Amino acid sequence: MPAADDAELLLAAGRGDRNAFGVLVERYHRTVVQFVYRFLADVDRDTAEDLTQDVFVKAWEAASGFEPRAAVLTWLLRIATNTGLNYRRWRRLRRALSLASGGLVSAPDPKAGSPEGRPARADEAERVRSAVAQLPPNQRAAIVLRHFHEMSYKDVADVLETSVPAVESLLFRARRTLERELRPVASEHWPQVSGEPGAE
Amino acid sequence: MRCKAAQQMISAAQDGELGVDRRAAFQAHLDGCAACRAFAARVAVAAGLVVEWEAPEPSWGAADRVMNAVTAGTGSRGAAREWLDLLRPAPLGLSAAAFALGVALTVFANGAPASDDGSPEAGNGEQVAEYSEAVSNDSIETSLLALLTEQEE
């Protein structure tokens, strides 16, 4: 029997079918966890999983309003992006309130960026993580969606609720920054081509 | 085509997202410009490094916990209420709390405590629980987040 179509499952979930929603959770849980982990770029796996739980609860609550014009994964990652942005804002507010009331700002989590999320070349991976983390959120989201979820510019635009030319611009600016930030790591991989970018 | 225009097309070219006409113009520029060829190569190398950044596999049972939360109708909200306490001061401390909130929003607007500085952030389930509880309350917390969203946009 062929696997049920995503949109059919989500429409069924919108009518209250938890089993149908469970299939979607099985299908996309890993994708959403890894998207959130990379999009926020400075959280550990537990936080990414907790936020992913929020994403799916919101998706369940919003399923009855889903319109099959969008792909289900695109729809889920849009919820994940908004959840990540809200979490980031809340975290900044929390820090600000903590500072204003004389409290202590949380110490960095020793688990963040721990070996569970690192490739063997840990220093290089940490530089990559740090460079990606410094990108503005919309550029970071575009990079993660394009590089790790292999989305077309159209799909990235749908997730970020923007236009294809805007996505092209976001990715260009993000990669220009990454090229600059990763030069110390990347230089050993450069092909033997001379010349600096011109400014004609 | 000038170098600046060509460089802005590099990402789309490398992603196969340039149309035929733009691709031809881009390629013509690249054929005659060593500097842009070098820049394109470096951008490609940096992009190649990014994809080596691995993300962890979800923990065992995490998807089941999601379905438990869906069934229970809750997100990851929990018992932690530290930050809500900051927003819900005792009546006699209202003016002090209002002052603290004003200072906090000023600090926030100035970006001093921004977490997007690339440094690893404290993160754990309890913090997300606090966040979930905060945004699930249709009260001052929601209003503040909306205000911060407007500030950012």
Side-chain angles (χ1 to χ4, degrees):
Chain A
M1 197 171 76
D5 174 74
D6 285 352
E8 289 173 10
L9 289 167
L10 193 53
L11 290 171
R15 295 189 295 270
D17 186 341
R18 287 182 203 280
N19 289 332
F21 193 72
V23 175
L24 288 173
V25 171
E26 283 294 324
R27 207 171 271 180
Y28 293 120
H29 179 262
R30 176 178 179 270
T31 301
V32 175
V33 168
Q34 295 193 332
F35 170 77
V36 170
Y37 179 86
R38 289 190 177 107
F39 174 50
L40 288 173
D42 58 5
V43 298
D44 61 15
R45 182 181 67 180
D46 291 347
T47 300
E49 287 183 356
D50 287 342
L51 288 169
T52 297
Q53 186 168 303
D54 281 0
V55 169
F56 279 105
V57 169
K58 285 176 192 166
W60 167 254
E61 290 168 353
S64 60
F66 172 73
E67 295 181 14
R69 285 187 310 234
V72 170
L73 180 58
T74 300
W75 185 77
L76 281 173
L77 292 180
R78 191 181 303 153
I79 296 173
T81 302
N82 290 330
T83 300
L85 286 172
N86 266 334
Y87 177 67
R88 178 177 156 274
R89 290 181 190 115
W90 170 81
R91 210 171 51 181
R92 292 178 63 193
L93 174 63
R94 185 174 183 272
R95 284 183 174 196
L97 287 167
S98 183
L99 284 177
S101 63
L104 293 173
V105 178
S106 304
D109 181 1
K111 288 191 296 181
S114 64
E116 65 191 2
R118 287 186 180 183
R121 300 169 70 180
D123 289 346
E124 190 170 300
E126 174 53 26
R127 281 200 100 115
V128 171
R129 187 207 62 75
S130 176
V132 174
Q134 289 179 50
L135 295 173
N138 53 359
Q139 291 182 27
R140 197 161 63 227
I143 282 287
V144 172
L145 291 167
R146 174 66 202 175
H147 281 270
F148 298 100
H149 300 277
E150 299 177 352
M151 285 190 160
S152 68
Y153 283 21
K154 170 73 170 59
D155 287 343
V156 175
D158 284 348
V159 171
L160 300 182
E161 298 180 277
T162 187
S163 66
V164 169
V167 169
E168 185 176 324
S169 175
L170 286 173
L171 285 169
F172 164 68
R173 284 181 282 143
R175 286 177 180 157
R176 184 178 56 187
T177 302
L178 291 172
E179 186 274 324
R180 188 175 61 239
E181 294 296 320
L182 294 174
R183 265 182 209 176
V185 181
S187 56
E188 65 188 76
H189 302 281
W190 285 348
Q192 296 302 306
V193 182
S194 61
E196 284 294 315
E200 292 173 23
Chain B
M1 178 182 290
R2 291 180 178 274
C3 289
K4 187 175 179 184
Q7 287 162 22
Q8 286 174 345
M9 291 183 185
I10 284 172
S11 273
Q14 292 175 346
D15 290 333
E17 295 266 359
L18 281 183
V20 175
D21 291 347
R22 292 175 77 208
R23 171 166 288 280
F26 172 75
Q27 192 60 53
H29 177 87
L30 227 58
D31 288 346
C33 182
C36 282
R37 281 201 303 278
F39 182 59
R42 293 203 303 273
V43 168
V45 168
L49 285 172
V50 169
V51 297
E52 290 183 25
W53 177 30
E54 295 178 359
E57 291 297 320
S59 59
W60 188 85
D64 293 337
R65 290 195 291 278
V66 168
M67 283 311 295
N68 290 340
V70 166
T71 301
T74 60
S76 58
R77 67 194 65 140
R81 305 180 65 84
E82 177 189 337
W83 104 282
L84 291 179
D85 290 343
L86 287 168
L87 293 170
R88 291 176 181 154
L92 289 177
L94 274 176
S95 57
F99 173 75
L101 192 58
V103 172
L105 288 172
T106 303
V107 172
F108 180 94
N110 290 333
S115 57
D116 257 15
D117 55 3
S119 60
E121 166 66 18
N124 53 51
E126 188 174 88
Q127 196 174 58
V128 178
E130 292 174 43
Y131 157 75
S132 298
E133 183 158 352
V135 297
S136 70
N137 285 289
D138 187 20
S139 57
I140 187 170
E141 300 86 24
T142 312
S143 303
L144 279 171
L145 281 172
L147 175 64
L148 298 179
T149 304
E150 285 174 15
Q151 282 186 348
E152 286 195 346
E153 291 170 356

PDB file of all heavy atoms in Angstrom, chain A residues 103-125:
ATOM      1  N   GLY A 103      19.877  40.462  38.235  1.00  0.00           N
ATOM      2  CA  GLY A 103      20.108  39.026  38.253  1.00  0.00           C
ATOM      3  C   GLY A 103      21.313  38.643  37.433  1.00  0.00           C
ATOM      4  O   GLY A 103      21.953  39.486  36.801  1.00  0.00           O
ATOM      5  N   LEU A 104      21.603  37.406  37.478  1.00  0.00           N
ATOM      6  CA  LEU A 104      22.738  36.910  36.718  1.00  0.00           C
ATOM      7  C   LEU A 104      22.274  36.416  35.368  1.00  0.00           C
ATOM      8  O   LEU A 104      21.229  35.811  35.241  1.00  0.00           O
ATOM      9  CB  LEU A 104      23.411  35.750  37.473  1.00  0.00           C
ATOM     10  CG  LEU A 104      24.087  36.122  38.785  1.00  0.00           C
ATOM     11  CD1 LEU A 104      24.559  34.845  39.484  1.00  0.00           C
ATOM     12  CD2 LEU A 104      25.266  37.057  38.528  1.00  0.00           C
ATOM     13  N   VAL A 105      23.060  36.682  34.359  1.00  0.00           N
ATOM     14  CA  VAL A 105      22.804  36.121  33.042  1.00  0.00           C
ATOM     15  C   VAL A 105      23.281  34.676  33.058  1.00  0.00           C
ATOM     16  O   VAL A 105      24.307  34.368  33.651  1.00  0.00           O
ATOM     17  CB  VAL A 105      23.565  36.915  31.965  1.00  0.00           C
ATOM     18  CG1 VAL A 105      23.343  36.303  30.596  1.00  0.00           C
ATOM     19  CG2 VAL A 105      23.118  38.362  31.977  1.00  0.00           C
ATOM     20  N   SER A 106      22.515  33.811  32.455  1.00  0.00           N
ATOM     21  CA  SER A 106      22.873  32.396  32.465  1.00  0.00           C
ATOM     22  C   SER A 106      24.266  32.181  31.881  1.00  0.00           C
ATOM     23  O   SER A 106      24.648  32.822  30.909  1.00  0.00           O
ATOM     24  CB  SER A 106      21.872  31.605  31.625  1.00  0.00           C
ATOM     25  OG  SER A 106      20.580  31.839  32.102  1.00  0.00           O
ATOM     26  N   ALA A 107      24.968  31.301  32.514  1.00  0.00           N
ATOM     27  CA  ALA A 107      26.277  30.938  31.976  1.00  0.00           C
ATOM     28  C   ALA A 107      26.092  30.105  30.709  1.00  0.00           C
ATOM     29  O   ALA A 107      25.061  29.448  30.547  1.00  0.00           O
ATOM     30  CB  ALA A 107      27.041  30.121  33.016  1.00  0.00           C
ATOM     31  N   PRO A 108      27.056  30.143  29.813  1.00  0.00           N
ATOM     32  CA  PRO A 108      26.938  29.318  28.612  1.00  0.00           C
ATOM     33  C   PRO A 108      26.756  27.851  28.983  1.00  0.00           C
ATOM     34  O   PRO A 108      27.348  27.373  29.948  1.00  0.00           O
ATOM     35  CB  PRO A 108      28.273  29.544  27.904  1.00  0.00           C
ATOM     36  CG  PRO A 108      28.767  30.851  28.426  1.00  0.00           C
ATOM     37  CD  PRO A 108      28.262  30.948  29.823  1.00  0.00           C
ATOM     38  N   ASP A 109      25.927  27.206  28.231  1.00  0.00           N
ATOM     39  CA  ASP A 109      25.655  25.801  28.483  1.00  0.00           C
ATOM     40  C   ASP A 109      26.825  24.959  27.984  1.00  0.00           C
ATOM     41  O   ASP A 109      27.160  24.996  26.808  1.00  0.00           O
ATOM     42  CB  ASP A 109      24.377  25.408  27.735  1.00  0.00           C
ATOM     43  CG  ASP A 109      24.011  23.960  27.972  1.00  0.00           C
ATOM     44  OD1 ASP A 109      24.733  23.286  28.732  1.00  0.00           O
ATOM     45  OD2 ASP A 109      23.013  23.522  27.390  1.00  0.00           O
ATOM     46  N   PRO A 110      27.442  24.203  28.896  1.00  0.00           N
ATOM     47  CA  PRO A 110      28.570  23.389  28.444  1.00  0.00           C
ATOM     48  C   PRO A 110      28.180  22.347  27.420  1.00  0.00           C
ATOM     49  O   PRO A 110      29.025  21.832  26.689  1.00  0.00           O
ATOM     50  CB  PRO A 110      29.068  22.724  29.744  1.00  0.00           C
ATOM     51  CG  PRO A 110      27.918  22.817  30.695  1.00  0.00           C
ATOM     52  CD  PRO A 110      27.162  24.050  30.322  1.00  0.00           C
ATOM     53  N   LYS A 111      26.872  22.042  27.357  1.00  0.00           N
ATOM     54  CA  LYS A 111      26.447  21.020  26.391  1.00  0.00           C
ATOM     55  C   LYS A 111      26.272  21.589  24.994  1.00  0.00           C
ATOM     56  O   LYS A 111      26.246  20.847  24.025  1.00  0.00           O
ATOM     57  CB  LYS A 111      25.122  20.386  26.825  1.00  0.00           C
ATOM     58  CG  LYS A 111      25.250  19.479  28.029  1.00  0.00           C
ATOM     59  CD  LYS A 111      23.971  18.682  28.244  1.00  0.00           C
ATOM     60  CE  LYS A 111      22.811  19.587  28.578  1.00  0.00           C
ATOM     61  NZ  LYS A 111      21.565  18.841  28.812  1.00  0.00           N
ATOM     62  N   ALA A 112      26.114  22.926  24.919  1.00  0.00           N
ATOM     63  CA  ALA A 112      25.866  23.516  23.606  1.00  0.00           C
ATOM     64  C   ALA A 112      27.060  23.264  22.698  1.00  0.00           C
ATOM     65  O   ALA A 112      28.201  23.491  23.066  1.00  0.00           O
ATOM     66  CB  ALA A 112      25.615  25.006  23.740  1.00  0.00           C
ATOM     67  N   GLY A 113      26.782  22.807  21.516  1.00  0.00           N
ATOM     68  CA  GLY A 113      27.848  22.537  20.571  1.00  0.00           C
ATOM     69  C   GLY A 113      28.716  21.373  21.007  1.00  0.00           C
ATOM     70  O   GLY A 113      29.880  21.293  20.640  1.00  0.00           O
ATOM     71  N   SER A 114      28.169  20.486  21.811  1.00  0.00           N
ATOM     72  CA  SER A 114      28.945  19.364  22.318  1.00  0.00           C
ATOM     73  C   SER A 114      29.185  18.330  21.226  1.00  0.00           C
ATOM     74  O   SER A 114      28.635  18.443  20.138  1.00  0.00           O
ATOM     75  CB  SER A 114      28.180  18.715  23.469  1.00  0.00           C
ATOM     76  OG  SER A 114      26.986  18.186  22.994  1.00  0.00           O
ATOM     77  N   PRO A 115      29.998  17.319  21.504  1.00  0.00           N
ATOM     78  CA  PRO A 115      30.378  16.379  20.454  1.00  0.00           C
ATOM     79  C   PRO A 115      29.206  15.732  19.732  1.00  0.00           C
ATOM     80  O   PRO A 115      29.347  15.309  18.592  1.00  0.00           O
ATOM     81  CB  PRO A 115      31.194  15.326  21.223  1.00  0.00           C
ATOM     82  CG  PRO A 115      31.790  16.089  22.357  1.00  0.00           C
ATOM     83  CD  PRO A 115      30.726  17.078  22.754  1.00  0.00           C
ATOM     84  N   GLU A 116      28.033  15.672  20.390  1.00  0.00           N
ATOM     85  CA  GLU A 116      26.896  15.047  19.713  1.00  0.00           C
ATOM     86  C   GLU A 116      26.554  15.787  18.423  1.00  0.00           C
ATOM     87  O   GLU A 116      25.965  15.217  17.520  1.00  0.00           O
ATOM     88  CB  GLU A 116      25.677  15.038  20.631  1.00  0.00           C
ATOM     89  CG  GLU A 116      25.169  16.434  20.958  1.00  0.00           C
ATOM     90  CD  GLU A 116      24.138  16.433  22.075  1.00  0.00           C
ATOM     91  OE1 GLU A 116      23.852  15.365  22.615  1.00  0.00           O
ATOM     92  OE2 GLU A 116      23.637  17.525  22.387  1.00  0.00           O
ATOM     93  N   GLY A 117      26.921  17.076  18.339  1.00  0.00           N
ATOM     94  CA  GLY A 117      26.598  17.844  17.151  1.00  0.00           C
ATOM     95  C   GLY A 117      27.824  18.235  16.360  1.00  0.00           C
ATOM     96  O   GLY A 117      27.746  19.080  15.496  1.00  0.00           O
ATOM     97  N   ARG A 118      28.980  17.658  16.681  1.00  0.00           N
ATOM     98  CA  ARG A 118      30.202  18.082  16.017  1.00  0.00           C
ATOM     99  C   ARG A 118      30.762  16.998  15.104  1.00  0.00           C
ATOM    100  O   ARG A 118      30.783  15.840  15.473  1.00  0.00           O
ATOM    101  CB  ARG A 118      31.274  18.396  17.051  1.00  0.00           C
ATOM    102  CG  ARG A 118      31.039  19.668  17.810  1.00  0.00           C
ATOM    103  CD  ARG A 118      32.239  19.923  18.674  1.00  0.00           C
ATOM    104  NE  ARG A 118      32.073  21.135  19.443  1.00  0.00           N
ATOM    105  CZ  ARG A 118      33.030  21.612  20.236  1.00  0.00           C
ATOM    106  NH1 ARG A 118      34.173  20.987  20.335  1.00  0.00           N
ATOM    107  NH2 ARG A 118      32.832  22.717  20.915  1.00  0.00           N
ATOM    108  N   PRO A 119      31.277  17.404  13.974  1.00  0.00           N
ATOM    109  CA  PRO A 119      31.988  16.429  13.163  1.00  0.00           C
ATOM    110  C   PRO A 119      33.358  16.192  13.767  1.00  0.00           C
ATOM    111  O   PRO A 119      33.755  16.847  14.734  1.00  0.00           O
ATOM    112  CB  PRO A 119      32.084  17.104  11.807  1.00  0.00           C
ATOM    113  CG  PRO A 119      32.018  18.556  12.099  1.00  0.00           C
ATOM    114  CD  PRO A 119      31.164  18.700  13.327  1.00  0.00           C
ATOM    115  N   ALA A 120      34.087  15.274  13.197  1.00  0.00           N
ATOM    116  CA  ALA A 120      35.369  14.898  13.757  1.00  0.00           C
ATOM    117  C   ALA A 120      36.317  16.101  13.810  1.00  0.00           C
ATOM    118  O   ALA A 120      37.036  16.300  14.774  1.00  0.00           O
ATOM    119  CB  ALA A 120      35.964  13.765  12.937  1.00  0.00           C
ATOM    120  N   ARG A 121      36.297  16.944  12.793  1.00  0.00           N
ATOM    121  CA  ARG A 121      37.198  18.093  12.789  1.00  0.00           C
ATOM    122  C   ARG A 121      36.527  19.201  13.601  1.00  0.00           C
ATOM    123  O   ARG A 121      35.954  20.144  13.080  1.00  0.00           O
ATOM    124  CB  ARG A 121      37.490  18.520  11.367  1.00  0.00           C
ATOM    125  CG  ARG A 121      38.143  17.387  10.577  1.00  0.00           C
ATOM    126  CD  ARG A 121      38.191  17.701   9.103  1.00  0.00           C
ATOM    127  NE  ARG A 121      39.147  18.778   8.818  1.00  0.00           N
ATOM    128  CZ  ARG A 121      39.370  19.234   7.603  1.00  0.00           C
ATOM    129  NH1 ARG A 121      38.706  18.748   6.570  1.00  0.00           N
ATOM    130  NH2 ARG A 121      40.256  20.189   7.405  1.00  0.00           N
ATOM    131  N   ALA A 122      36.653  19.071  14.935  1.00  0.00           N
ATOM    132  CA  ALA A 122      35.838  19.887  15.826  1.00  0.00           C
ATOM    133  C   ALA A 122      36.132  21.376  15.708  1.00  0.00           C
ATOM    134  O   ALA A 122      35.221  22.190  15.755  1.00  0.00           O
ATOM    135  CB  ALA A 122      36.036  19.413  17.262  1.00  0.00           C
ATOM    136  N   ASP A 123      37.390  21.743  15.581  1.00  0.00           N
ATOM    137  CA  ASP A 123      37.715  23.172  15.494  1.00  0.00           C
ATOM    138  C   ASP A 123      37.085  23.799  14.264  1.00  0.00           C
ATOM    139  O   ASP A 123      36.521  24.886  14.317  1.00  0.00           O
ATOM    140  CB  ASP A 123      39.233  23.364  15.442  1.00  0.00           C
ATOM    141  CG  ASP A 123      39.870  23.052  16.776  1.00  0.00           C
ATOM    142  OD1 ASP A 123      39.132  22.949  17.768  1.00  0.00           O
ATOM    143  OD2 ASP A 123      41.106  22.913  16.812  1.00  0.00           O
ATOM    144  N   GLU A 124      37.211  23.094  13.175  1.00  0.00           N
ATOM    145  CA  GLU A 124      36.644  23.599  11.926  1.00  0.00           C
ATOM    146  C   GLU A 124      35.126  23.703  12.052  1.00  0.00           C
ATOM    147  O   GLU A 124      34.519  24.693  11.633  1.00  0.00           O
ATOM    148  CB  GLU A 124      37.025  22.649  10.789  1.00  0.00           C
ATOM    149  CG  GLU A 124      36.708  23.158   9.416  1.00  0.00           C
ATOM    150  CD  GLU A 124      37.340  22.284   8.342  1.00  0.00           C
ATOM    151  OE1 GLU A 124      38.574  22.157   8.334  1.00  0.00           O
ATOM    152  OE2 GLU A 124      36.593  21.691   7.538  1.00  0.00           O
ATOM    153  N   ALA A 125      34.533  22.676  12.648  1.00  0.00           N
ATOM    154  CA  ALA A 125      33.073  22.686  12.810  1.00  0.00           C
ATOM    155  C   ALA A 125      32.635  23.826  13.714  1.00  0.00           C
ATOM    156  O   ALA A 125      31.620  24.471  13.469  1.00  0.00           O
ATOM    157  CB  ALA A 125      32.610  21.354  13.381  1.00  0.00           C
TER     158      ALA A 125
END
